Amino acid sequence: HCEIVGAWFLAATTHPGIIARSDEISAEDAAHVAQLRRDVVMPDGRVMPMRWCYHCRVFRPPRAVHCPDCNVCVMRFDHHCPWISQCVGQRNYKYFFAYLWSLTLLCCYTGAFLTVYAFGFWASIDRRALVRQIGGQRDAVLYNGLLIVAVALGVLIGVLCVAPLTAMHTRLLTTDATTSQADRRVYDRTSVLSNCRAVLCDAERLFARLRAQCDAALAEAHAEVRSEL
């Protein structure tokens, strides 16, 4: 339980990788800056064009998306999660992934424990006393039976809801894809280990590198526009 709460807390409170909006660029300057092309060097060495966000007035690299719920641009945007009440992005994806796996393992553990308990309880029933309704056997069977059914339904619902989501994100992790890019393998590094390391271990470093390039591109484009006006 501590692992679940800890993973949820970190996923909900960690900065997802927001590109801070620019308040220094006026609407008139933004219209000119948006027409300029700026490129970014991706972690794999490819040079790709950045997109202009008219809401935040910033350049954003590939895979960064403007979230309409949070009204911010998020690096390596996966989705906006109502469970944690914020976006799942480059910096907090690893905690969200840990949260999913901890929930799945809890459901599996509870299901296994419930199975052992149900078989043990069934073996301990005095069936003769149950037929004669002696010693409160009937009440005990009814109470434990309802308890087992209730917990089993909870585990079943949890497994049906969480396990497929966990399996999907595990597959996405192994190909370095996001929910919106589930059918594309543009950033797949051909090695599962390399993909997992990039997403789970190098997120902070990659975010800092891309953020620096975004800030530099914005400052350069703004200076170019101001010099022409």
Side-chain angles (χ1 to χ4, degrees):
H1 295 273
C2 294
E3 292 81 0
I4 296 175
V5 174
W8 174 87
F9 180 79
L10 289 173
T13 58
T14 300
H15 188 292
I18 298 173
I19 306 174
R21 64 176 63 247
S22 176
D23 297 325
E24 300 177 356
I25 300 180
S26 63
E28 181 181 357
D29 290 347
H32 293 283
V33 172
Q35 305 303 317
L36 301 178
R37 176 189 171 95
R38 287 296 180 270
D39 296 327
V40 61
V41 180
M42 299 300 292
D44 58 4
R46 287 182 294 175
V47 178
M48 303 182 71
M50 288 192 281
R51 296 181 179 180
W52 176 257
C53 178
Y54 288 90
H55 299 281
C56 300
R57 297 179 183 175
V58 294
F59 284 107
R60 63 182 188 222
R63 313 186 82 181
V65 176
H66 184 87
C67 175
D69 295 294
C70 298
N71 195 28
V72 292
C73 288
V74 180
M75 294 272 200
R76 198 183 180 277
F77 178 83
D78 191 272
H79 68 287
H80 182 89
C81 180
W83 293 3
I84 62 175
S85 190
Q86 78 158 337
C87 297
V88 176
Q90 189 165 33
R91 295 185 70 245
N92 67 340
Y93 182 84
K94 56 185 176 183
Y95 301 122
F96 175 76
F97 185 72
Y99 173 59
L100 289 181
W101 263 107
S102 60
L103 282 177
T104 303
L105 292 176
L106 176 64
C107 290
C108 293
Y109 171 79
T110 305
F113 178 81
L114 183 65
T115 302
V116 173
Y117 176 80
F119 277 106
F121 177 72
W122 178 255
S124 66
I125 295 177
D126 186 346
R127 294 170 181 75
R128 293 183 179 180
L130 179 62
V131 172
R132 299 174 184 175
Q133 300 184 15
I134 298 176
Q137 283 283 316
R138 183 178 181 181
D139 294 338
V141 170
L142 180 61
Y143 172 79
N144 284 276
L146 291 176
L147 179 63
I148 291 172
V149 170
V151 177
L153 286 176
V155 171
L156 180 62
I157 293 174
V159 169
L160 292 178
C161 294
V162 180
L165 185 62
T166 304
M168 184 192 75
H169 277 280
T170 301
R171 182 179 66 85
L172 294 176
L173 174 66
T174 59
T175 58
D176 192 8
T178 60
T179 301
S180 59
Q181 301 169 328
D183 298 328
R184 294 183 293 171
R185 303 181 66 172
V186 180
Y187 302 95
D188 190 357
R189 295 171 175 78
T190 68
S191 169
V192 173
L193 182 60
S194 298
N195 291 328
C196 294
R197 184 174 62 248
V199 178
L200 302 178
C201 302
D202 297 339
E204 295 286 347
R205 181 176 58 83
L206 297 179
F207 170 76
R209 180 191 300 177
L210 293 175
R211 174 65 189 278
Q213 293 186 68
C214 291
D215 293 342
L218 180 62
E220 180 184 343
H222 189 205
E224 181 178 337
V225 168
R226 296 303 300 170
S227 65
E228 294 177 355
L229 296 178

